[in-house]
Amino acid sequence: MLLNNFTLNILAVFITVLVGVIVYFKWHLSYWDRLGVPSLSPVLFFGDTKNLILSKCTIGEQFRVFYNKFKSKGYKHGGIFFGPIPFYIAIDPEIIKHILQKDFQHFMNHGYYINEEDDPLTGHLLNLENVKWKNMRAKLTPTFTSGKMKIMFQTLADCTTGLKKVMDDSALNHTPVDIKDIFGRFTTDIIGSVAFGIECNSLENPDAEFRKYGKKVFEIDFFGRIKTLCTFAIPHPILRLFRFKFYNSDVATFFMDAIRETVNYREKNNIYRKDFMHLLLQLKNRGLVTDDEKITGDKDIVTEALTMNELAAQAFVFFLAGFETSSTAMTWALYELAINPDVQQKLRAEINDVLRKHNKLTYEAMMDMTYMEKVICETLRKYPPIPVLTRKCTKDYTIPNTSIQLQRGVSVSVPVLALHTDPEYYPNPEKFDPDRFNDENVKARPGFTWLPFGEGPRICIGLRFGLLQSKVGLTAVLKHYRIKLNHKTQLPVTLNPRSFITSAKGGVWLDVEKID
Ligand code: HEM
């Protein structure tokens, strides 16, 4: 009898807690309705993102479903639940413009996890917030000017030798290439060289350590997904209290050691090399970027210099943000060129004309390739490597022309893939048509409807470099090889739901024919 009473009491407590939790979550899930923002039909635990959490679609596709649902009802914005987390979605380009540019002070941060003490590589530009971000952005901006791109160009062009060798082997042996893997090795070699000052040789040796760890950063397994969700769901001060680390320790150790070794070697031997690492060393030792070859010596410090950990985190983000995005863009470009041979031929004709005029591959030649630019823009439209932009609301904000107030701390998103495939802005969006980026067509479209690099003060700092290395890679391939789609490519092509970056499930496989 005593036991029965005890059991009943436990049961009663359990049911009360359960009912309490359910009531709380029901109330929580009515957050957008209470605010007056159009919402969908969120359910417990999954929110509105069941398909995404169960890996049935990509984040870009999931947000496109939301976008279409809100837009079809005439709404300019909406509110969804990413699991239990409320996310505001801007649909109307005018609202997007306010968020990314006009009212930037309210949306300055990405909201990603940062723990400089226990996980120093998280202290990079993409993650930094508020004043720290502003200062770091100001310091790094001079490293990405067109002048600096020009200086680095040869280091970048040198990596095409390895690329051609791999393509030659494929053409000679009639073996199809997994082009994403080849371009991944190409951009690893480039960024390894310009950001770390290391000859990675991953084109020659696919098992090179740099390639191995570079891939590992992007391979998000089950625990990686849980970790990522934690960084959105749990307040960051609590995570920091428990010394939560985002990057796996083997990855962090590899990159920290590689950077430390390069820094020590260059400082000890006063080495000058035309690359990002040289500019980062100037920032560390002199506090600013200059046009000379000095990395140490007189202290010209005008602002605070970078610490060793800060330098390492910035070199790391150049790698993180620079290799997979560009290799993805080049992969999709070749996929489209393989299935649109007329566009491939037109682009090759431009490459031949421009290279004949300039005699060799130079920075100026790359700038002259205007059709190439359009092909890349159209590729980034159809397949934006980063399909959704995110921001954190950092100050309460009244949405323009409404009385709705977004609260500080709420996550905000811009559904890039959805905008890029909206027939209102891009008629017949499935068609690959570089002429959409002719001057008159660009002018006819509303602004803030092409956002592969983001926009506003937080726009991709490496935009120029990303475009440049994509142009160089495509030029090196198309000048010497005709490409066709190999039957190993899974058709119709679908997006890989296990990747945050917009990539093809099963990869893109190409047959390569050498042009004499
Ligand atoms: C095709 C190539 C690339 C694409 C599509 C791309 C795309 C993006 C996007 C969408 C963002 C976020 C912008 C926003 O939130 O508004 C970003 C930020 C960033 N990207 Fe890129 N990126 C590319 C290449 C590169 C390269 C080559 C580098 C460096 C070498 C780089 C470094 C960065 C950094 C450091 C940030 C953070 C900027 C900040 O928060 O201030 N990216 N990129």
Side-chain angles (χ1 to χ4, degrees):
M1 187 64 190
L2 192 68
L3 188 70
N4 275 353
N5 270 346
F6 181 72
T7 314
L8 278 175
N9 282 344
I10 294 278
L11 201 65
V13 170
F14 176 74
I15 290 172
T16 313
V17 170
L18 190 72
V19 170
V21 168
I22 292 174
V23 169
Y24 168 75
F25 271 105
K26 284 259 176 215
W27 173 81
H28 174 68
L29 293 180
S30 68
Y31 175 78
W32 293 116
D33 301 330
R34 283 180 277 125
L35 221 61
V37 174
S39 64
L40 301 173
S41 316
V43 293
L44 281 182
F45 181 68
F46 288 116
D48 294 297
T49 48
K50 189 170 177 187
N51 285 344
L52 180 60
I53 291 174
L54 297 180
S55 293
K56 289 190 179 157
C57 67
T58 65
I59 186 162
E61 289 168 323
Q62 177 75 86
F63 275 67
R64 180 162 56 189
V65 170
F66 300 147
Y67 175 95
N68 288 338
K69 281 190 180 166
F70 289 123
K71 190 163 175 175
S72 65
K73 290 184 181 151
Y75 297 134
K76 295 185 172 191
H77 62 184
I80 60 107
F81 282 85
F82 195 135
I85 308 152
F87 260 72
Y88 174 82
I89 306 185
I91 307 288
D92 177 45
E94 258 314 302
I95 297 186
I96 294 174
K97 185 176 179 177
H98 275 273
I99 290 171
L100 297 182
Q101 194 172 60
K102 281 189 174 167
D103 299 320
F104 179 72
Q105 313 88 297
H106 293 261
F107 303 100
M108 201 185 263
N109 302 333
H110 282 132
Y112 302 142
Y113 178 66
I114 180 163
N115 181 352
E116 287 177 276
E117 289 233 323
D118 302 301
D119 198 2
L121 289 183
T122 56
H124 54 65
L125 191 68
L126 189 68
N127 290 353
L128 285 175
E129 303 197 326
N130 307 320
V131 182
K132 272 196 165 185
W133 166 77
K134 227 172 170 176
N135 288 342
M136 186 62 81
R137 178 94 191 192
K139 280 185 195 150
L140 293 179
T141 298
T143 58
F144 288 93
T145 59
S146 46
K148 295 289 183 292
M149 298 296 105
K150 219 166 147 175
I151 292 173
M152 283 180 220
F153 185 78
Q154 198 47 48
T155 314
L156 201 151
D158 288 346
C159 295
T160 57
T161 312
L163 180 62
K164 282 188 216 142
K165 196 172 170 307
V166 177
M167 298 299 276
D168 267 347
D169 286 349
S170 160
L172 197 72
N173 300 320
H174 301 285
T175 44
V177 286
D178 172 358
I179 197 66
K180 176 84 193 291
D181 177 57
I182 307 296
F183 279 141
R185 283 151 60 190
F186 174 60
T187 50
T188 296
D189 282 0
I190 290 180
I191 311 255
S193 177
V194 295
F196 290 77
I198 293 171
E199 301 303 332
C200 306
N201 294 327
S202 72
L203 275 162
E204 272 177 41
N205 171 19
D207 300 323
E209 286 233 293
F210 228 86
R211 175 73 179 144
K212 182 177 131 193
Y213 285 102
K215 270 168 91 173
K216 231 177 152 177
V217 178
F218 284 91
E219 280 166 4
I220 303 184
D221 56 11
F222 179 70
F223 286 110
R225 277 166 183 258
I226 299 286
K227 262 181 164 180
T228 311
L229 206 63
C230 283
T231 64
F232 277 102
I234 303 173
H236 293 176
I238 294 181
L239 290 177
R240 280 193 283 270
L241 197 69
F242 286 96
R243 311 186 74 170
F244 178 85
K245 292 181 186 175
F246 187 73
Y247 296 117
N248 291 340
S249 60
D250 58 339
V251 172
T253 307
F254 172 78
F255 281 104
M256 280 304 273
D257 287 352
I259 296 162
R260 231 179 254 127
E261 257 173 49
T262 308
V263 169
N264 290 342
Y265 178 73
R266 289 214 193 172
E267 285 182 349
K268 204 165 150 215
N269 300 293
N270 212 6
I271 304 281
Y272 168 61
R273 210 163 162 267
K274 295 174 179 177
D275 58 15
F276 283 128
M277 180 52 88
H278 177 72
L279 306 172
L280 290 175
L281 279 164
Q282 287 189 327
L283 284 171
K284 173 174 173 285
N285 295 322
R286 303 171 64 188
L288 78 173
V289 167
T290 61
D291 279 335
D292 57 34
E293 301 185 3
K294 287 195 291 186
I295 49 171
T296 53
D298 28 310
K299 295 246 175 213
D300 311 315
I301 296 182
V302 283
T303 54
E304 252 178 71
L306 293 192
T307 63
M308 179 62 206
N309 280 354
E310 284 172 334
L311 177 149
Q314 309 326 308
F316 179 66
V317 80
F318 292 171
F319 183 72
L320 189 76
F323 108 87
E324 187 84 346
T325 44
S326 300
S327 62
T328 301
M330 286 186 269
T331 299
W332 283 118
L334 283 197
Y335 165 73
E336 285 292 345
L337 295 175
I339 58 173
N340 293 285
D342 47 333
V343 182
Q344 183 181 154
Q345 194 40 45
K346 189 169 170 186
L347 181 55
R348 185 173 296 109
E350 178 182 79
I351 291 170
N352 287 334
D353 281 354
V354 172
L355 291 185
R356 216 173 289 123
K357 188 173 132 203
H358 288 265
N359 286 325
K360 62 176 194 152
L361 199 65
T362 59
Y363 178 80
E364 289 74 16
M366 291 295 111
M367 294 302 110
D368 262 1
M369 291 189 189
T370 50
Y371 190 63
M372 168 77 87
E373 182 109 9
K374 288 177 201 150
V375 167
I376 296 177
C377 289
E378 174 65 344
T379 304
L380 292 172
R381 175 193 71 82
K382 262 192 98 172
Y383 313 98
I386 309 219
V388 178
L389 300 174
T390 52
R391 293 288 186 273
K392 205 64 163 187
C393 177
T394 43
K395 267 196 261 173
D396 289 354
Y397 178 68
T398 307
I399 297 160
N401 305 319
T402 73
S403 54
I404 298 168
Q405 218 187 37
L406 282 185
Q407 288 161 329
R408 181 170 173 258
V410 81
S411 295
V412 172
S413 59
V414 176
V416 176
L417 179 72
L419 283 161
H420 286 191
T421 47
D422 183 337
E424 183 185 339
Y425 310 126
Y426 299 97
N428 196 2
E430 278 311 302
K431 184 170 182 224
F432 184 79
D433 179 9
D435 290 336
R436 294 183 201 269
F437 290 88
N438 285 344
D439 283 350
E440 61 273 26
N441 289 338
V442 172
K443 271 191 208 125
R445 267 193 302 273
F448 290 77
T449 52
W450 186 76
L451 298 166
F453 294 101
E455 251 305 346
R458 209 128 197 182
I459 193 171
C460 172
I461 198 172
L463 182 156
R464 275 203 190 96
F465 191 79
L467 286 176
L468 190 63
Q469 64 177 347
S470 304
K471 283 181 180 177
V472 170
L474 292 176
T475 302
V477 171
L478 293 166
K479 164 108 184 83
H480 301 286
Y481 313 94
R482 222 168 272 122
I483 49 148
K484 283 195 189 135
L485 208 58
N486 179 270
H487 62 83
K488 278 175 91 173
T489 311
Q490 290 174 21
L491 291 179
V493 145
T494 52
L495 302 184
N496 179 3
R498 299 203 170 267
S499 165
F500 177 77
I501 299 261
T502 308
S503 54
K505 201 171 170 187
V508 172
W509 293 82
L510 297 177
D511 290 324
V512 178
E513 184 195 335
K514 188 153 183 157
I515 301 170
D516 292 327

